[in-house]
Amino acid sequence: MSLPPKHFLNDPETLVVDSLKGLATQNPQLALDEENKVVYVPTQDRSKVALICGGGSGHEPAHAGYVGDGILTAAVCGSVFASPNSSQVRRGIDLVENEKGTVIIVKNYTGDILNFGLAREQYAAAHPDKADRVKFVIVADDVAVGKTQGTIVGRRGLAGTVLVYKIAGALAKRGASLEDVYSTAQWVADHVGTIGVGLEHCHVPGTAGNQSHLGATEIEIGMGIHNEPGNRRLSPVPPLKDLLPQLVDFLTVTTDPERSFLPFKNDGSDRVVLLVNNLGGVSELELTGVVGEARRALEAKGIKIERVLAGTFMTSLNMPGFSITTLLLPTAAEGKPDAASILSLLDEPANVPGWRWSAGVSPTAAHQITSGAKRQASAVTQDDRPHLRAEDSKAFIGAIERACNQLVKEEPEITRMDNIAGDGDCGLTLKAGASGVLRNIKSGRITGDDVVGSIIAIAQVAEEDMGGTSGALYSIFFSALAQGLQAKYEGAKTLSPALWSAALSHALAKLYTYTRARPPSRTLVDPLAAFTEALAETHGADVAKAAKAAADATLLTRDLEAKAGRSAYVEGDRLKQERVPDPGAWGVKAILEGLLGQ
């Protein structure tokens, strides 16, 4: 996979400044030195220690998103993935001049260290009486880089840096001394570790489109935040339950001479802060799944998690990846800083847009998260409804299985259609329903010996496994079909074609009370109505004719104006140009073809 070279911007050359202006608009407590790309707090309390950070842009909300009450006093921003020069940094130091001193916090990248370091030395040369009032903290939390590989340059600075910002910033706000703020920041930097993983590299605005760095089934562990390659690649992409234990091993290992960066005891006494960071392109849905698996992987090693932070803290533009960070808390025997103090500083509110909400307490015990409440079964039992059998139980089940397998087979094509004519989920929704029905057949819940009960079971599968609009429509239809069979059976023990036809007509009429869609509407109603009405004309005798009517109605949706359903929100000219049948209608066609074995 490769990310497209498309971005929302005016011009790549002005992107950073445009972004900083937007940030200052969002956060009125900030000021912007546009020439030097310095975001700072103009009303800072100059009786307190100031904190400066910075580096290349493209890692937002780091670094400027943390400037404000409770964390940083200023951030000096370079171009995308490029360090600011020393003159910019020197301007930042001057802007936060104060009575107590300044702590500069940078990630361990050569350009950042050189330019921020040079600015510090220039400041010291110009103000020899204040030379000891500018302290320097380098964060190198990447555990993917081995000790041999990093002998000279050291490890990279990653998302663990924001924990240094937060804890040191909260301490500075309390009015602590320069030495206390500096030593605490350094302690946190020495006890934090981060490991990242990505599906692909990011794309830098203004550059040519990337060629794919990773195969369609590959992920890379240990990727940096500037598109640097990682430590290893895995294929196929493992499920989170297998991936997260590997990442946790990178953080906690003490027997690997190339790593063992943090002094974990791995004896059940370790306590950590867990930070799960979105590198830019991961959905919130996936990220919270990562949180749960990270917790399980840490607790499996006997590590107690005292705080959980999750969200977008330090990105690599639009990289589809995430990182996990652990801050190993001090034991009682280690003395200052103590764990309670570190957690208290972490929990203090910060009035900045980059910092994410956190609970401020330890996570709920895993066994208490899931409710023990059971779904209440319906009061209606098998004895309360007619016991109708299929004329041929084996053929009944075989037809349903064929219909389900046909839907599974058609999923890629239905998804393709829905990516054009809808929201892209129709194929997977129908596949989920089909898979659920097949599981119920295997478990014996769907059987030809109890057709009404089987239809009710299919309705429940549609409700629970499919969900959304399609799930509701199918569930209503099959629930109404079960009602129709019971209302029309007139004492029969087996199901005749005429009874099926009458029940289908009943179900369609019931469905119409819940949807405004009527043929021709470019929805699943088109083939469903065509089939039901054609079947009624022969009192259920000519199923093949009814199925052909449904197929014809499905193909006609290619040229229909969308009046309802997902396609009603799609630009009309595109539908005409693509001539894609309605995906929901195609699903009905697939079901009918499967039932008939066509």
Side-chain angles (χ1 to χ4, degrees):
M1 60 179 287
S2 59
L3 298 180
K6 299 190 292 186
H7 301 273
F8 295 106
L9 45 76
N10 291 316
D11 187 293
E13 296 298 321
T14 65
L15 176 57
V16 173
V17 171
D18 290 346
S19 176
L20 295 177
K21 287 179 178 178
L23 177 64
T25 300
Q26 177 187 3
N27 186 3
Q29 67 178 306
L30 303 184
L32 171 63
D33 180 333
E34 182 176 342
E35 179 182 355
N36 292 290
K37 296 198 279 285
V38 180
V39 174
Y40 64 101
V41 179
T43 58
Q44 72 179 97
D45 185 343
R46 297 188 186 272
S47 69
K48 297 178 179 178
V49 173
L51 267 65
I52 294 181
C53 78
S57 296
H59 307 302
E60 289 68 24
H63 311 278
Y66 299 110
V67 177
D69 182 37
I71 305 189
L72 299 174
T73 319
V76 188
C77 305
S79 300
V80 174
F81 293 173
S83 172
N85 62 47
S86 60
S87 296
Q88 292 174 259
V89 179
R90 174 66 190 279
R91 175 59 176 161
I93 295 172
D94 290 341
L95 285 170
V96 301
E97 182 76 28
N98 65 86
E99 300 168 12
K100 279 193 172 177
T102 299
V103 177
I104 298 173
I105 302 172
V106 297
K107 303 186 302 302
N108 186 33
Y109 293 100
T110 302
D112 292 345
I113 293 173
L114 290 177
N115 284 294
F116 279 83
L118 175 56
R120 175 197 184 195
E121 298 306 320
Q122 289 173 337
Y123 178 86
H127 305 282
D129 57 323
K130 302 178 182 179
D132 61 347
R133 287 170 53 183
V134 179
K135 302 291 188 179
F136 206 72
V137 175
I138 300 171
V139 185
D141 55 317
D142 183 11
V143 298
V145 178
K147 294 179 180 180
T148 300
Q149 181 182 357
T151 299
I152 297 177
V153 297
R155 297 181 290 147
R156 300 170 293 199
L158 300 175
T161 308
V162 302
L163 295 178
V164 183
Y165 295 163
K166 177 62 179 70
I167 292 168
L171 188 58
K173 183 179 179 179
R174 291 181 181 180
S177 69
L178 175 63
E179 185 58 36
D180 283 348
V181 174
Y182 165 69
S183 62
T184 300
Q186 189 61 63
W187 186 93
V188 175
D190 291 341
H191 289 79
V192 70
T194 300
I195 182 74
V197 60
L199 301 173
E200 185 53 270
H201 291 197
C202 66
H203 179 261
V204 178
T207 65
N210 289 356
Q211 288 188 342
S212 179
H213 293 85
L214 297 175
T217 63
E218 285 186 313
I219 62 169
E220 194 162 30
I221 293 177
M223 294 173 74
I225 55 173
H226 304 98
N227 274 342
E228 307 100 318
N231 169 273
R232 68 178 68 160
R233 295 184 179 187
L234 299 179
S235 181
V237 177
L240 289 177
K241 64 183 178 64
D242 296 333
L243 174 61
L244 266 298
Q246 297 183 54
L247 301 182
V248 166
D249 283 344
F250 271 90
L251 294 165
T252 61
V253 66
T254 57
T255 56
D256 183 350
E258 279 298 308
R259 287 177 176 80
S260 308
F261 294 113
L262 300 177
F264 278 92
K265 294 182 174 60
N266 290 319
D267 61 358
S269 66
D270 297 314
R271 302 162 63 204
V272 300
V273 172
L274 168 65
L275 183 149
V276 178
N277 172 58
N278 186 351
L279 285 168
V282 175
S283 70
E284 288 290 321
L285 181 66
E286 294 166 279
L287 195 71
T288 45
V290 173
V291 173
E293 290 299 338
R295 180 214 182 126
R296 278 184 277 275
L298 285 165
E299 291 182 345
K301 297 180 76 69
I303 296 170
K304 178 173 174 52
I305 303 171
E306 294 290 353
R307 297 291 186 273
V308 176
L309 301 167
T312 304
F313 290 90
M314 181 177 288
T315 63
S316 180
L317 291 168
N318 57 357
M319 180 182 286
F322 67 88
S323 63
I324 61 170
T325 298
T326 52
L327 169 61
L328 180 60
L329 295 169
T331 64
E334 291 178 52
K336 292 185 177 181
D338 63 273
S341 296
I342 293 295
L343 293 174
S344 174
L345 293 166
L346 189 66
D347 293 341
E348 284 194 4
N351 186 21
V352 299
W355 189 249
R356 298 301 185 253
W357 175 89
S358 63
V361 295
S362 301
T364 304
H367 70 276
Q368 295 177 341
I369 290 177
T370 303
S371 169
K374 300 293 185 181
R375 179 186 177 97
Q376 293 297 314
S378 171
V380 177
T381 66
Q382 185 169 326
D383 293 335
D384 298 320
R385 50 179 166 76
H387 190 76
L388 295 173
R389 294 167 47 201
E391 289 185 319
D392 184 334
S393 294
K394 185 176 180 181
F396 175 78
I397 292 299
I400 296 175
E401 288 177 331
R402 288 196 304 272
C404 292
N405 290 328
Q406 186 69 19
L407 276 180
V408 172
K409 178 182 176 182
E410 293 279 0
E411 179 272 318
E413 180 62 12
I414 296 173
T415 297
R416 184 193 70 81
M417 294 175 183
D418 202 33
N419 282 328
I420 297 170
D423 52 11
D425 69 342
C426 184
L428 291 175
T429 298
L430 291 171
K431 181 181 178 181
S435 299
V437 170
L438 290 171
R439 286 194 301 271
N440 275 264
I441 291 174
K442 187 175 182 180
S443 70
R445 189 178 176 205
I446 295 175
T447 170
D449 293 331
D450 180 14
V451 173
V452 173
S454 296
I455 298 297
I456 292 172
I458 292 172
Q460 188 173 343
V461 168
E463 174 198 353
E464 296 178 356
D465 290 20
M466 293 174 65
T469 301
S470 294
L473 289 171
Y474 273 94
S475 189
I476 289 170
F477 184 81
F478 281 110
S479 295
L481 180 60
Q483 295 174 45
L485 289 172
Q486 296 175 79
K488 309 287 185 182
Y489 84 107
E490 297 179 347
K493 295 298 183 181
T494 58
L495 286 163
S496 67
L499 179 53
W500 273 116
S501 178
L504 285 166
S505 295
H506 174 91
L508 182 64
K510 184 73 73 171
L511 184 64
Y512 280 162
T513 66
Y514 294 98
T515 177
R516 296 179 180 178
R518 300 291 185 276
S521 62
R522 192 182 167 87
T523 68
L524 64 81
V525 167
D526 293 6
L528 188 59
F531 177 80
T532 301
E533 292 166 3
L535 192 64
E537 291 174 0
T538 64
H539 302 286
D542 197 340
V543 180
K545 176 184 175 182
K548 183 179 186 307
D552 291 343
T554 297
L555 295 178
L556 284 174
T557 64
R558 294 179 299 185
D559 302 308
L560 291 177
E561 178 183 355
K563 298 177 181 178
R566 60 185 64 80
S567 296
Y569 303 104
V570 180
E571 196 274 318
D573 288 342
R574 186 182 180 203
L575 289 178
K576 292 178 182 178
Q577 179 181 355
E578 297 284 351
R579 294 194 76 229
V580 173
D582 178 72
W586 196 267
V588 173
K589 173 177 173 289
I591 291 171
L592 294 172
E593 289 174 348
L595 287 172
L596 297 179
Q598 295 179 346

